[in-house]
């Protein structure tokens, strides 16, 4: 399976390549952290003051040759430039300002000498996030990484670096949380964000110790590790202001690899440390985004997917929710059936879950030879509720596949990728149990189609609410997309909102029950469909807000919705005046399907 679209936690890493300088550790660290294709090299040649810069012709030629080797090309890439200067550190600063890398990597002490700067000068006012690595890193690729943490502002970057190394080198990570005997408030508060992140990273071992001698503790612990990644000091403490006394001692005395990091952000203490701690959640989100974001084209080899399916002994169901979609349902069904059932038997069953359409939707589907269910008539003993969520919930009862995929039937540009793109991660990764699609959504305005503009409720309601209450899910690009699916073993354990809240409700519950790593998202490229009018989007937003509040109630044990209004006053514009029309929009939930005795009997 191709990994063309693999992402890293740091998308652009810069490393200066200095002439006549030992820098193997800086180059190795850049490759390990940035991965292939994400490292930006800048050649630097220092000429002593008083000598003409023209004397650097031969060194510059040698550096260009090295850059070609590093880039894996006989011709140096356009961006592999060489700078000749009496003050090479100033050239590094200019390159950083122009390229805006995520991280600048420097090797201590050799590169600082070659670039005519000091570690304090480089770290006192960092032009971007900086990593300083010692010369031992290249000698011993790290199998075990120690990340000491005292809750300071640079612990987030240290953890991000360690996770990047784990991703490329397969290293084991252990965090060491150190706090003074009488912990200062800012350390405790700032560490809460990292503590929340670590809860979702079970692969990381955690140690905690109370100490007023952090350097001694790190020195002792580091004997059992190949690499220590720690933050520089966040405060001025006399000598070694920029790097801090603890980091300076570890960097100087250690016989193993050491990395010291410092962010460009100005550190804050006191009340603002809480904001700093909460910002650490971005480490978790970025890691998830890099590892669990896919592209549909990674799974276009259907024969490979079929082999994975058979090796795992899985069956796959496709359920198509519909309401008055006679214009598109035939093309959707015939396209998917031809490609995924007739040509390659990847999908074992396709069913239409109709919401009592008044047009020819059901007739067209039956003519194409797929089972049709009217969701209001399924499990009638539990009542019939309107809404797409009700149809999805009852599709669990009407299908038999181990994997269940849902695709809307109003897609104008339907393509098999909408299905195999979602199936792929579930077959590739047994730990993934829920997959969301995302795509560009052109907005049709009259006879014209705008390239962007779709997904208005997503950007104005859903994603702000997730960022506010469930920041771990802030990397999900389109939480309301109608193309998604998962493992029956997970879906049958979840409650379903009956209406518009079903997508965001399932996403939150999957996260709560199975963790962030169980969720994946896939780029399905572009989706063209009939956009809804503003009034319908307003009602959708009202229901989605209710759904999120309900989940927040469950999380914090508070009862909010019982005492709030569930009717919405819609504004009607008539010829000469406005009027109000009241509509009841109460988002209700169905219990997990696995609790129904009728469902249990099916699977006995």
């Amino acid at each position: 399976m191709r990994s063309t679209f693999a992402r890293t936690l740091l998308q652009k890493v810069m490393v200066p390549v200095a002439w006549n300088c030992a820098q193997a550790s800086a180059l190795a660290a850049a490759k390990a952290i940035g991965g292939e294709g994400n490292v930006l090299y800048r050649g630097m040649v220092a000429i002593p003051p008083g000598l003409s810069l023209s004397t650097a012709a031969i060194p510059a030629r040698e550096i260009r040759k090295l850059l070609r080797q590093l880039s894996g090309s006989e011709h140096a890439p356009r961006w592999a430039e060489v700078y000749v200067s009496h003050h090479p550190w100033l050239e590094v600063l200019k390159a950083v300002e122009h390229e805006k890398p995520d991280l600048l990597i420097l090797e201590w002490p050799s590169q600082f000498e070659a670039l005519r700067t000091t570690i304090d000068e480089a770290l006192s006012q960092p032009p971007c996030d900086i990593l300083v690595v010692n010369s031992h890193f290249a000698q011993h690729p790290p199998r075990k990484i120690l990340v000491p943490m005292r809750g300071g502002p640079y612990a987030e970057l240290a953890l991000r670096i360690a996770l990047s190394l784990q991703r490329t080198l397969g290293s084991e990570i252990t965090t060491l949380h150190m706090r003074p005997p009488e912990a200062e408030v800012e350390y405790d508060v700032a560490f809460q964000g990292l503590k929340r992140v670590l809860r979702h990273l079970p692969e990381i071992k955690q140690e905690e110790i109370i100490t007023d001698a952090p350097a001694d503790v790190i020195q002792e612990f580091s004997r059992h590790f190949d690499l220590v990644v720690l933050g520089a000091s966040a405060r001025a403490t006399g000598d070694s202001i920029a790097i801090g006394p603890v980091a300076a001692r570890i960097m100087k005395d250690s016989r193993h690899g050491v990395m010291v990091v410092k962010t460009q952000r100005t550190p804050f203490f006191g009340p603002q440390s809480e904001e700093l701690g909460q910002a650490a959640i971005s480490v978790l989100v970025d890691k998830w985004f890099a590892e669990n974001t896919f592209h549909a084209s990674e799974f276009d080899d259907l024969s490979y997917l079929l082999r994975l399916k058979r090796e795992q002994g899985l069956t796959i169901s496709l359920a198509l929710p519909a309401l008055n979609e006679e214009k598109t349902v035939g093309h959707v069904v015939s396209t998917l059936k031809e490609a995924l059932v007739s040509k390659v038997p990847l999908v074992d069953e396709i069913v239409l879950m109709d919401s009592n359409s008044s047009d020819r939707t059901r007739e067209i589907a039956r003519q194409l030879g797929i089972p049709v269910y009217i969701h209001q008539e399924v499990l009638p003993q539990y009542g019939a509720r309107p809404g797409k969520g009700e149809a999805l919930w009852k599709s669990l009862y009407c299908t038999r596949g181990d994997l269940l995929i849902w695709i809307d039937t109003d897609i104008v540009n339907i393509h098999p990728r909408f299905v195999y793109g979602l199936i792929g991660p579930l077959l590739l990764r047994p730990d993934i149990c829920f997959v969301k699609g995302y795509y560009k959504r052109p907005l049709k305005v009259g006879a014209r189609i705008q390239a962007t503009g779709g997904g208005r409720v997503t950007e104005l309601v859903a994603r702000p609410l997730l960022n506010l209450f469930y920041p771990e899910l802030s990397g999900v690009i389109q939480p309301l997309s109608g193309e998604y699916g998962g493992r029956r073993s997970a879906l049958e354990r979840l409650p379903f909102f009956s209406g518009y809240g079903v997508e965001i409700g399932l996403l939150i519950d999957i996260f709560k029950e199975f963790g962030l790593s169980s969720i994946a998202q896939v780029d399905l490229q572009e989706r063209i469909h009939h956009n809804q009018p503003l009034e319908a989007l307003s009602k959708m937003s009202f229901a989605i807000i209710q759904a999120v509040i309900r989940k927040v109630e469950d999380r914090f044990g508070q009862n909010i919705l019982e005492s709030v209004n569930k009717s919405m006053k819609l504004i009607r514009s008539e010829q000469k005046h406005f009027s109000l029309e009241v509509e009841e929009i109460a988002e209700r939930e169905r219990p997990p399907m696995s609790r129904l005795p009728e469902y249990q009997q099916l699977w006995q």
Side-chain angles (χ1 to χ4, degrees), residues 493-505:
R493 294 168 53 184
L494 305 179
F496 278 57
F497 283 108
S498 297
Y500 291 124
V502 64
E503 278 87 14
I504 202 164

Side-chain angles (χ1 to χ4, degrees), residues 31-85:
K31 185 176 181 180
I33 294 169
E36 296 293 339
N38 292 321
V39 181
L40 196 65
Y41 301 105
R42 282 291 182 269
M44 298 289 166
V45 178
I47 297 299
L51 289 183
S52 171
L53 296 179
S54 63
T55 61
I58 293 178
R61 189 184 312 153
E62 293 178 356
I63 288 292
R64 283 194 293 271
K65 180 180 179 181
L66 177 58
L67 293 178
R68 286 195 295 271
Q69 294 172 352
L70 293 171
S71 64
S73 172
E74 293 184 1
H75 304 285
R78 177 189 55 80
W79 40 260
E81 301 171 6
V82 177
Y83 297 87
V84 177
S85 175

Side-chain angles (χ1 to χ4, degrees), residues 454-466:
R456 290 162 287 176
V457 177
T458 292
E459 296 301 326
L460 298 176
V461 178
R463 297 196 76 255
L465 285 172
L466 290 177

Side-chain angles (χ1 to χ4, degrees), residues 55-336:
T55 61
I58 293 178
R61 189 184 312 153
E62 293 178 356
I63 288 292
R64 283 194 293 271
K65 180 180 179 181
L66 177 58
L67 293 178
R68 286 195 295 271
Q69 294 172 352
L70 293 171
S71 64
S73 172
E74 293 184 1
H75 304 285
R78 177 189 55 80
W79 40 260
E81 301 171 6
V82 177
Y83 297 87
V84 177
S85 175
H86 295 300
H87 306 286
W89 177 243
L90 297 181
E91 300 298 333
V92 173
L93 297 179
K94 292 177 185 177
V96 169
E97 183 180 4
H98 180 260
E99 297 292 347
K100 295 180 173 52
D102 298 316
L103 185 70
L104 175 65
I105 296 180
L106 300 169
E107 183 168 335
W108 181 85
S110 55
Q111 281 196 321
F112 290 89
E113 297 170 357
L115 297 173
R116 307 285 170 81
T117 186
T118 65
I119 195 167
D120 278 347
E121 180 185 15
L123 296 184
S124 60
Q125 292 183 321
C128 65
D129 290 356
I130 286 187
L131 181 149
V132 179
V133 60
N134 68 357
S135 59
H136 298 303
F137 176 79
Q139 300 169 14
H140 305 286
R143 294 170 298 171
K144 300 175 67 177
I145 300 174
L146 178 67
V147 186
M149 296 179 173
R150 296 188 67 189
Y154 306 136
E156 173 190 340
L157 179 57
L159 182 58
R160 187 186 297 268
I161 295 299
L163 288 169
S164 297
L165 294 170
Q166 180 191 55
R167 180 169 167 77
T168 55
L169 303 177
S171 310
E172 296 180 0
I173 300 175
T174 298
T175 60
L176 175 62
H177 177 212
M178 297 174 294
R179 56 188 179 89
E182 296 180 1
E184 298 179 33
V185 174
E186 62 259 33
Y187 283 125
D188 281 345
V189 173
F191 187 72
Q192 293 310 305
L194 287 166
K195 187 175 181 180
R196 183 172 178 178
V197 168
L198 293 172
R199 281 202 305 267
H200 296 285
L201 297 172
E203 69 272 22
I204 294 180
K205 299 178 183 178
Q206 299 180 48
E207 299 282 352
E208 183 171 340
I209 191 167
I210 298 174
T211 180
D212 55 4
D216 292 339
V217 171
I218 297 173
Q219 198 87 321
E220 179 63 28
F221 266 79
S222 67
R223 296 176 184 176
H224 308 287
F225 293 84
D226 307 304
L227 174 67
V228 178
V229 184
L230 72 162
S233 173
R235 293 180 171 181
T237 53
D239 296 335
S240 298
I241 291 176
I243 190 172
V246 174
R249 176 179 164 185
I250 301 301
M251 178 71 76
K252 179 181 178 182
D253 296 344
S254 178
R255 293 297 174 261
H256 299 283
V258 177
M259 292 180 173
V260 177
V261 300
K262 190 167 188 179
T263 69
Q264 186 183 30
R265 291 177 297 175
T266 303
F268 294 103
F269 295 93
Q272 292 177 326
S273 292
E274 183 173 1
E275 299 175 15
L276 199 61
Q278 292 298 321
I281 206 73
S282 67
V283 177
L284 178 66
V285 175
D286 289 351
K287 179 180 187 293
W288 172 83
F289 194 91
E291 296 178 352
N292 286 35
T293 299
F294 299 88
H295 193 282
S297 65
E298 294 182 75
F299 308 108
D300 58 12
D301 185 349
L302 301 188
S303 61
Y304 180 76
L305 294 184
L306 182 62
R307 179 160 62 87
L308 287 178
K309 170 194 160 183
R310 289 174 173 170
E311 288 174 352
Q312 298 173 52
L314 298 174
T315 54
I316 301 175
S317 296
L318 173 61
L320 307 173
L323 175 61
N324 295 327
E325 301 294 354
E326 65 178 5
K327 293 182 179 179
T328 52
V329 68
H331 184 50
V332 169
V333 171
S334 59
T335 298
L336 300 180

Side-chain angles (χ1 to χ4, degrees), residues 241-434:
I241 291 176
I243 190 172
V246 174
R249 176 179 164 185
I250 301 301
M251 178 71 76
K252 179 181 178 182
D253 296 344
S254 178
R255 293 297 174 261
H256 299 283
V258 177
M259 292 180 173
V260 177
V261 300
K262 190 167 188 179
T263 69
Q264 186 183 30
R265 291 177 297 175
T266 303
F268 294 103
F269 295 93
Q272 292 177 326
S273 292
E274 183 173 1
E275 299 175 15
L276 199 61
Q278 292 298 321
I281 206 73
S282 67
V283 177
L284 178 66
V285 175
D286 289 351
K287 179 180 187 293
W288 172 83
F289 194 91
E291 296 178 352
N292 286 35
T293 299
F294 299 88
H295 193 282
S297 65
E298 294 182 75
F299 308 108
D300 58 12
D301 185 349
L302 301 188
S303 61
Y304 180 76
L305 294 184
L306 182 62
R307 179 160 62 87
L308 287 178
K309 170 194 160 183
R310 289 174 173 170
E311 288 174 352
Q312 298 173 52
L314 298 174
T315 54
I316 301 175
S317 296
L318 173 61
L320 307 173
L323 175 61
N324 295 327
E325 301 294 354
E326 65 178 5
K327 293 182 179 179
T328 52
V329 68
H331 184 50
V332 169
V333 171
S334 59
T335 298
L336 300 180
K337 186 178 179 182
E338 172 67 17
L340 304 175
V341 177
S342 300
K343 287 186 177 180
V344 180
L346 185 62
V347 173
D348 297 282
E349 66 172 339
I350 302 177
V351 303
L352 186 82
M353 297 301 300
D354 186 68
S355 296
N356 208 10
S357 296
S358 58
D359 63 4
R360 298 179 59 250
T361 296
R362 293 192 299 276
E363 178 184 345
I364 294 170
R366 288 193 183 102
Q367 289 174 351
L368 291 170
I370 69 169
V372 173
Y373 298 91
I374 300 175
H375 88 247
Q376 289 86 346
E377 299 176 0
V378 176
L379 297 170
Q381 62 271 38
Y382 295 99
R385 295 179 184 175
K388 176 185 176 182
E390 183 83 347
L392 300 186
W393 180 65
K394 290 181 176 178
S395 71
L396 280 167
Y397 183 78
C398 298
T399 59
R400 298 293 178 269
D402 302 303
L403 309 181
L404 178 56
I405 306 297
W406 293 301
I407 302 292
D408 284 343
T409 50
D410 65 344
I411 304 176
V412 175
N413 64 323
I414 189 65
H415 186 279
R417 69 173 180 272
F418 284 91
V419 177
Y420 67 65
L422 299 173
I423 292 173
L426 295 168
L427 295 178
L428 193 65
R429 295 257 304 273
D431 60 312
I432 291 174
C433 59
F434 191 71

